[in-house]
Structure formats: structure tokens, C-alpha cells
Amino acid sequence: MNFSKYLRFAVVGACALASCKGGPPTATKPGKYSSTTGIEYNTEEGMKVADYQGIPEGPGLVFIEGGRTVLGTQEEDVTMTHDNIERTVTIASFYMDEAEVANIHWLEYLHFVRKDSSEEIYQRALPDTTVWARELSFNDPYVDYYLRYPGFRYFPVVGVSWLQANDYCTWRTAKVNERLAGEGEDGGSAPKKKGGLFGRKNKEVEGGDAAEGTESGGGTRIAIENGNTLPNYRLPTEAEWEYAAQALIGTQEVGNENQENKRIYPWDGRQVRNPYGKSMGSFLANFKRGRGDYAGIAGSLNDGAMITEYVYAYPPNDYGLYNMSGNVNEWVQDIYRPLSFEDVEDLNPFRRNGFLDPSEKYDKKNYQSLIDDHVRVYKGGSWKDVAYWLSPGTRRFMAEDSATAAIGFRCAMINAGSNK
């Protein structure tokens, strides 16, 4: 390197290190030069640094500010499972769907899967509508009409397994990012690329400029480094779901770290009826009040729903999330273990396969247990559950390839690059 070139780098580097313009560099304003080498970005010699204005807005998501909380059962443990003992943890900020994934959203998914992929994959994505069928109950119309009839468009999709919900999250990530990438390329018009998640027309390329999302080798790879795409949609962890359902941000005292009260349910008080205003006495969730009582009596229905209900029914909690109790239970990521509460970390706790507490201990082969590495946690209570299951700390499990008329889901996403 000649002296003049070295001097230029030294001067530029000193200026960068001194943050001589506009304060220290940030993710959205990294500056023109590297603050460690002084080399200019986006040149032949320098690294490509994409323009980044913050995480794009994800359709349907609301921001959940993280923090410290006490997870665990807030109710008397009437089932005597002792599988969610209270403990203090910290949850990082994240995003979550404001409402449960609805029938219209699943029909959109089926539309694109049929369009972009094989018939086999389409058949695998179909919900099990026979979950409504009961030998001693006339639910036959729901088998045919619940998923596809327009009146049920914004009722929660049911009959989907954990595996199917996971596939939906993968598809949604690809489809949303395909749209965002298209908008970035042509100034906001519809994406030009076709095929979506299951398309076979685009080639993914590795290395070099392609890693930054530039054209190379006849295809485009959407790169994380570009910052114009969203992180993955996914199922929330059990800890994230429980934290979001608690919504204790609504009990926070201004100016200190005290919370005025705990909550048994996602709302204030120790009852399931609204204690305030014109809606005083009305139920705050869709659940089963008692044996044979799903909605009350005609002319004075209690929760107003014999089965599921509109995904925006009932008041949202203090994070703006609807139906975190009742309507349908919701799948979460974690596999089930009764002692997860004492095994997992205290920062972003999560139970995954293949670590501690092996399934061989549970003797499922001889029918002494239902637990293995393919059972997943679901939470929240549903239209056919009594009030006990509405408490965020309660938990149950089911095989990941099974489905019922009382389990749906919603998606979550990390909050990339910020704690707020």
C-alpha cells in the first residue's frame, strides 16, 4: 500500500472512530466507513452494507415487550400434576399474532400450496374436518361447512396438528418475504418471482454477491443481511405464550418495577366476568361454564358461542392480543415434560427434543405413559373447556401429529436488533 492511500485510510478511520458526524454508528446509520478499519463500505474493496430502516412490519403481528415475570400456575393445581411450579424468568421482546389463525388464512395457504406444489403436499396440508364428528352428537354440518363456508371465515382454524401448524409458519415466512423482496426490487409493485415456498423455478445460489441478495447464476437468494425481509414466523415457545397471555404490563406501576397485582387470567380480577361499565357481568372468554352449558340460555347467553367464536370477539388483553384464554387452545413449540419448569434456563426458557429427561424413562411402549419426544404442549383453554384451563399457567399435551376441534394456533417472531 502506498503512503498516500495509507494516510487516506488513517484519516477516514480516525474520523469514523471519533464518530465525527451525528454520533456513534447504529444499525440504521452505520456510516460510510467502517469504524474499525476505516475502509469504505459498498466499494469494490469494502463490504456491502445494505440500507436498513428497521425490521419491516409483519402482517398481523403486535409487539410484546419482554421483561421479568413469574411463570407458573396461578390457580390451585386441581389436577395434581405439579408440572408448572412458579419461577422467575426473563423473556426477550418478540412479536405475536394479535388473533388466532383463522379459516380464511388457512384457505389462503391451501390456495398457494395447491398452486405452487404437488397434490401430495396439498393433501398433507388439509385440516382434519372430521374432528367435529361425534358418534353421539349431531355435529355433522361442521364437518362440511366449518372450514369453507364464508360465515366461518374469521373463526379459528381447527383440526390442524402441530406439524401442520409448523408447516404453515414456514410457508407464511416464505410468502411474506417473497412479497417484501418484490416490493424492494420494483418500488412497490407485486413480486415478479413465482413459486413461493414450494416453487422450483428459482435457483438458490451460495456465496459471493449472491449472499447479499444480488442476481447471480440465474437466481436470487433472499439474504438475511439485506434487512428487507422478516425473521421466521414460528410457533411461540411455551414461555413466550404464557408471558404474552399474562399481559402483566397492564399491572405495572409507573416509575418503578412493582406490579400492582398478579393475574389468574389475562385480565384483572379473579373472575371470568367483566366487572366494569356497560359490559359488566358479561363473560370475557369463550369457554364451557359447566356440564352441558356452552353458552347459557336463549335471550341471555353468557359467552354467546356454542362452539368457536370470531377471532376478534371479547376484549383484547393489555398487549392487544385477542382470545389468549378460551375459544381454542393453542399449540406452542415445546415438547412436553412434567419437570420442564426446573430444567430449562431462566432466560427465554424452552424445551426441545433430545436433551435431559429422555423419553425412554416414560415407558410408553408398555402403556405406562403417554410421553415421548413427539408430544407437544398446548395452552389457553377452549370453547369446550371449563374455566380452570383459561389460566395461562395451565398446560396440557398431545401428539404432534394429532388434531382436535378445540386446538388452533397463532404465530410469533423474534424482535430482531432491538430490545424495545
Side-chain angles (χ1 to χ4, degrees):
M1 182 185 294
N2 62 44
F3 179 75
S4 61
K5 189 174 183 181
Y6 173 81
L7 182 61
R8 177 171 63 85
F9 279 162
V11 171
V12 169
C15 182
L17 288 170
S19 302
C20 54
K21 287 186 178 179
T26 65
T28 56
K29 296 180 180 179
K32 189 175 181 181
Y33 302 93
S34 166
S35 60
T36 56
T37 65
I39 298 174
E40 185 175 358
Y41 295 132
N42 299 318
T43 62
E44 184 176 346
E45 183 176 1
M47 182 181 72
K48 176 178 172 60
V49 177
D51 182 37
Y52 175 64
Q53 300 302 319
I55 185 171
E57 183 177 348
L61 299 175
V62 297
F63 177 67
I64 310 297
E65 184 179 10
R68 182 195 70 212
T69 191
V70 176
L71 298 183
T73 305
Q74 304 293 317
E75 274 272 31
E76 181 182 357
D77 189 1
V78 297
T79 61
M80 301 296 288
T81 53
H82 304 298
D83 66 348
N84 203 15
I85 306 300
E86 291 186 352
R87 72 277 185 199
T88 300
V89 303
T90 293
I91 308 296
S93 298
F94 63 101
Y95 292 89
M96 180 177 272
D97 278 341
E98 65 179 354
E100 297 141 344
V101 172
N103 287 321
I104 192 171
H105 304 137
W106 199 270
L107 291 173
E108 180 187 26
Y109 170 48
L110 293 176
H111 164 79
F112 282 107
V113 169
R114 169 161 270 179
K115 179 180 176 182
D116 297 338
S117 63
S118 67
E119 182 66 18
E120 180 185 358
I121 294 175
Y122 173 77
Q123 292 295 326
R124 197 171 67 201
L126 288 172
D128 180 8
T129 59
T130 65
V131 294
W132 291 105
R134 308 290 291 180
E135 290 81 355
L136 299 176
S137 181
F138 186 66
N139 293 334
D140 305 41
Y142 298 131
V143 174
D144 296 323
Y145 286 92
Y146 181 80
L147 175 64
R148 300 182 182 275
Y149 190 74
F152 290 117
R153 279 175 177 164
Y154 283 93
F155 282 47
V157 67
V158 297
V160 295
S161 68
W162 183 94
L163 295 172
Q164 288 176 307
N166 218 40
D167 287 344
Y168 174 88
C169 294
T170 304
W171 168 84
R172 185 176 174 185
T173 301
K175 187 56 66 176
V176 171
N177 281 333
E178 182 183 86
R179 177 182 62 81
L180 290 173
E183 290 175 355
E185 289 173 0
D186 51 30
S189 61
K192 296 177 181 178
K193 297 184 289 297
K194 302 295 183 183
L197 174 61
F198 304 107
R200 290 169 285 276
K201 296 182 181 179
N202 297 323
K203 299 177 181 178
E204 288 198 358
V205 291
E206 300 291 340
D209 287 339
E212 297 296 332
T214 56
E215 296 292 337
S216 175
T220 299
R221 179 176 184 264
I222 298 174
I224 293 174
E225 294 89 344
N226 274 354
N228 61 357
T229 59
L230 285 166
N232 292 340
Y233 285 89
R234 56 175 173 79
L235 293 175
T237 67
E238 181 179 5
E240 286 176 333
W241 193 98
E242 189 173 330
Y243 176 82
Q246 287 177 347
L248 291 176
I249 192 171
T251 69
Q252 180 70 39
E253 292 185 9
V254 178
N256 58 44
E257 292 193 72
N258 294 325
Q259 289 171 325
E260 293 179 348
N261 55 69
K262 286 188 174 183
R263 286 175 166 172
I264 294 179
Y265 306 110
W267 51 82
D268 286 342
R270 305 183 67 84
Q271 64 282 328
V272 293
R273 295 179 184 268
N274 192 331
Y276 307 112
K278 295 181 179 179
S279 299
M280 183 182 297
S282 61
F283 279 81
L284 292 165
N286 175 17
F287 68 104
K288 181 179 178 180
R289 190 163 65 172
R291 183 174 177 83
D293 185 0
Y294 290 84
I297 62 173
S300 185
L301 298 178
N302 55 44
D303 64 35
M306 286 71 171
I307 56 166
T308 56
E309 174 62 290
Y310 178 50
V311 295
Y312 294 102
Y314 311 101
N317 72 9
D318 287 314
Y319 276 126
L321 303 172
Y322 292 84
N323 288 304
M324 292 299 282
S325 281
N327 213 22
V328 288
N329 291 285
E330 298 179 16
W331 289 114
V332 297
Q333 277 199 54
D334 301 52
I335 65 166
Y336 177 82
R337 288 294 188 273
L339 296 181
S340 288
F341 67 89
E342 66 179 30
D343 291 336
V344 295
E345 301 276 355
D346 59 2
L347 172 64
N348 297 326
F350 171 59
R351 187 94 210 196
R352 65 180 80 243
N353 287 347
F355 187 73
L356 294 179
D357 206 7
S359 60
E360 291 79 11
K361 291 171 53 177
Y362 290 93
D363 196 18
K364 186 174 182 180
K365 182 179 180 180
N366 294 313
Y367 304 102
Q368 300 301 306
S369 174
L370 296 173
I371 297 174
D372 61 15
D373 287 340
H374 301 284
V375 292
R376 303 284 174 169
V377 177
Y378 64 91
K379 297 176 73 72
S382 76
W383 59 273
K384 63 184 300 185
D385 291 315
V386 294
Y388 172 78
W389 297 108
L390 303 183
S391 181
T394 57
R395 60 200 300 255
R396 287 175 285 182
F397 65 92
M398 193 169 70
E400 63 186 22
D401 60 354
S402 298
T404 78
I407 302 181
F409 72 101
R410 72 181 76 210
C411 301
M413 179 186 294
I414 66 166
N415 178 38
S418 171
N419 288 318
K420 296 183 179 179

